[in-house]
Amino acid sequence: MTDIGGMRNLNMADDHMLESAAPVIVPVLPDEIGKVLEVAGSGSQIELDAQMLRKLSKSDDPCIAMAGQVGSLIKMKVGHLWIVANVRNLRLDTSDSDLILAHIDFLGEGLEARLTGRLTNFRRGITRFPVPSCRVYPVSTEDMKEMYAAEDTPNIEIGTVYPTRDIRGALFVDAMLGKHFALLGSTGTGKSTSAALILHRICDMAPEGHIVMIDPHGEYSAAFRTNGALYDVNNLAMPYWMMNFQEHCEVFVTTTGNQGQQDRDILSKCLLAARAKNRAAEGISKLTVDSPIPYLLSDLTNIIQTEMGKMDRAGETAPYMRLKTKIDEIKADPRYSFMFSGMLVADSMASFISRVFRMPGDGKPISIIDVSGVPSDITQVVVAVLSRTVFDYAIWSRNEPQRPILLVCEEAHRYVPNEQNAHGSSVGTILGRIAKEGRKYGVSLGLITQRPSDLAEGVLSQCGTIIAMRLNNERDQAFVKAAMPEGARGFLDTIPALRNRECIICGEGVAIPIRVSLDNLEEERRPASSDPVFTHLWREVGGEEEIVGRVIQRWRSQGR
C-alpha cells in the first residue's frame, strides 16, 4: 500500500530545496557581430555582419559604435577567456553585400567575469586560439577600462584613448625607459609639444631624476624654465680635454686618406705626451689618448713644435704644421670659447658631470643642452662628447649605487644617420652603441625625429616603445611599420590619417597598442616651436630699421 502522506512530504521537501537553491546567473553576452572564418598564428580572418554594424553605429558607447572599423577592437569567447584582437583591414564579400571580410591581429586575453561576463585581468599575448565559427563581439568602453588599467604600475597619463571619452592613456615609465623609446612625426604634427608633455610628466613624477636633452634648435629652454637646468654656449663650459682621441681627430685633423692617417698618428703621440704632463696622470699605469686627463693646448702645440724640430726635410714637417695651425686657429676663435677656452684647463670633470647629469637634481631633474649656438662644424663632436660621457659614466659607476640617466636626442636623424648619409662620425657610433647596450648599464635613450627612414638601420628597432604621430612620407611610414610588432600593424595603417596631437603608441610602454589624443600643455610649459602666423604677422609694421640694426649687431658679435 502506497504511503501517500510520505510521498507528499518528500515532494514538499524537494520544492523547499529548489526554492532555497541560489539562482543560476547566465552572463548576458553583447551583440554578436560576426564569426571567425580562418585562424593563423598571429592573426585570423573574420566575417562581419554589415547590418549589425550599422545598428551598433548608433550606440551611445563610442567603442561599440566604432565596432568593425579599421583600428577598432573585437573580442571572441574561448572557454572562460575573452580573446581580444585588432581589425587590420576590411573588404566586402563579393557573394553577399551584407557580409564584410576582415583580417585581425591577436593582442591579448582576459578572463570572463562569472556574473557579468565582462572581460577582466587582461594581459598581453594569448594562450588559446579561437576556432573557425567562433562568434565575434564588439569591445565596450568597460572592457577597454579593464584593458588599459595601469593599476599599481608606475605610469604617466598623457592623453585620452581613442575613441573613448574618459579612458586615460598611460605610459608605463619603467618599461618605456628600460628599453628606450622613439617619438616620430612629420613637421607640424605637434611633435615638440608632445615631447615636452612626456618629459614634464616624467619630471613631475620623478623630481630627483637625471635627464639630459640635446636641443638643436633652442626650442625647449622656454618649456623647462621652472623645472630644468638650461645650458647653452654661454654657460655650458665643456672642457675640451674630455674629448677622446676620435673626437680630437674630428676637430683637429682636416685631411683624409694617407695624409689624414699621418696626421692622426702624430696627434696620438703628442696628445698622449700632453696628457702625461698633468699631475692627475701620476700613478696611472694605463694612461691612453682616450683618458679624460686635463692638458694645456699650449703644451700640445709645444710638443708638436718640438717633434717638428726633429724632422730633417721640409716635406716631413707639413703634417705638424697642419695640426699646429688648426689648434691655434680654434684657440683664437671666440665661437669655440665655450669648449676651448684657456679657462677650462682645470680638472672640472666632477663639477661638469654633477651639473649636467643633475646629481643631485635639486628639484630640476632635466638638463636642456641648447646646441643651436654651437658652430656647425663641431656640433656633432659636442653631442658625441655629451652622449659618450653619459655612457662612460654609467659603465664606470657599475659598483656604485645606480643612478639611471635618460638621454633624449631631438632631430636624431642628424646624429644617427643611415648608411646612405653616414660619415663615420663619433656621435653616430656612440648613440648606436647606447641603443644596443645602454639598458645594461642604466642608460635610456629617447629619440625624436621627423625622418625615421634617415635613422641608422637597427636603431629604431632597438626602441622598445614607439610613439608615432602622423607621418606624411610613404618611406617613413614603411620604415616605422617594419620596426613595429606584428600585432600593431592595424593601428599603423591609420598613421597617415592621424590628426595633430594624436599618436599611436606600441611596445613595452603600453599594455596593448593604443591610439591617444594627447593632453594640452600649459602655455608656460610649451616649447618655442609654434609656426609663425603669416597673415597676422605681415600686418604688423613699424620699427623695421631698429630690428635690422639689432639683428646685425648680434650677428656680428655672435651673441644671442
Side-chain angles (χ1 to χ4, degrees), residues 83-108:
I83 308 297
V84 178
N86 164 244
V87 178
R88 187 194 296 191
N89 56 37
L90 300 168
R91 67 181 174 87
L92 190 67
D93 187 341
T94 53
S95 62
D96 188 341
S97 60
D98 276 336
L99 293 178
I100 296 170
L101 302 178
H103 282 98
I104 59 171
D105 297 311
F106 295 124
L107 298 175

Side-chain angles (χ1 to χ4, degrees), residues 158-418:
I158 59 169
T160 306
V161 176
Y162 179 86
T164 69
R165 301 184 185 97
D166 57 355
I167 297 179
R168 301 293 289 157
L171 284 170
F172 303 140
V173 177
D174 292 328
M176 181 178 81
L177 300 187
K179 295 183 180 176
H180 311 315
F181 71 93
L183 173 58
L184 319 169
S186 296
T187 303
T189 57
K191 189 171 73 279
S192 300
T193 310
S194 304
L197 170 68
I198 292 169
L199 292 174
H200 272 302
R201 294 282 195 269
I202 294 173
C203 289
D204 293 343
M205 180 187 185
E208 296 302 324
H210 312 283
I211 306 172
V212 179
M213 181 175 202
I214 311 293
D215 177 12
H217 302 304
E219 295 177 341
Y220 292 90
S221 295
F224 293 93
R225 280 191 298 260
T226 57
N227 61 342
L230 313 178
Y231 299 102
D232 57 18
V233 291
N234 297 312
N235 66 346
L236 182 58
M238 176 193 288
Y240 58 87
W241 47 263
M242 283 181 63
M243 294 190 295
N244 66 13
F245 179 61
Q246 184 182 358
E247 291 150 5
H248 271 89
C249 290
E250 285 185 37
V251 178
F252 293 150
V253 176
T254 56
T255 52
T256 56
N258 290 336
Q259 279 190 338
Q261 186 57 52
Q262 194 176 12
D263 291 3
R264 282 191 288 274
D265 291 342
I266 293 168
L267 179 60
S268 173
K269 180 181 178 182
C270 297
L271 179 59
L272 183 59
R275 289 198 195 276
K277 289 185 71 172
N278 192 285
R279 188 182 300 171
E282 293 174 9
I284 297 179
S285 58
K286 296 181 180 178
L287 185 68
T288 71
V289 286
D290 289 332
S291 301
I293 302 293
Y295 71 89
L296 296 173
L297 283 172
S298 56
D299 281 346
L300 180 59
T301 52
N302 288 339
I303 291 168
I304 291 172
Q305 184 78 43
T306 304
E307 290 294 319
M308 184 170 63
K310 297 175 183 177
M311 298 297 108
D312 296 331
R313 294 188 298 276
E316 294 175 341
T317 62
Y320 296 91
M321 282 302 299
R322 279 196 299 268
L323 283 172
K324 186 174 180 299
T325 303
K326 182 64 177 177
I327 295 168
D328 289 340
E329 177 188 308
I330 285 175
K331 273 172 65 178
D333 193 330
R335 294 178 304 151
Y336 299 91
S337 61
F338 72 95
M339 190 173 179
F340 292 94
S341 164
M343 305 295 289
L344 298 174
V345 295
D347 189 355
S348 56
M349 192 170 180
S351 63
F352 179 79
I353 286 175
S354 297
R355 279 192 307 126
V356 174
F357 296 176
R358 311 309 302 144
M359 294 185 184
D362 296 325
K364 294 187 174 183
I366 184 169
S367 288
I368 304 296
I369 315 293
D370 176 1
V371 295
S372 59
V374 174
S376 57
D377 54 336
I378 66 161
T379 303
Q380 303 261 2
V381 174
V382 170
V383 177
V385 173
L386 288 165
S387 306
R388 183 184 49 76
T389 304
V390 168
F391 189 63
D392 284 353
Y393 179 83
I395 288 176
W396 293 108
S397 65
R398 274 178 294 180
N399 297 326
E400 301 293 334
Q402 200 170 26
R403 299 288 185 269
I405 300 172
L406 167 60
L407 176 65
V408 184
C409 200
E410 172 71 274
E411 297 284 2
H413 58 275
R414 287 171 50 175
Y415 306 120
V416 207
N418 56 24

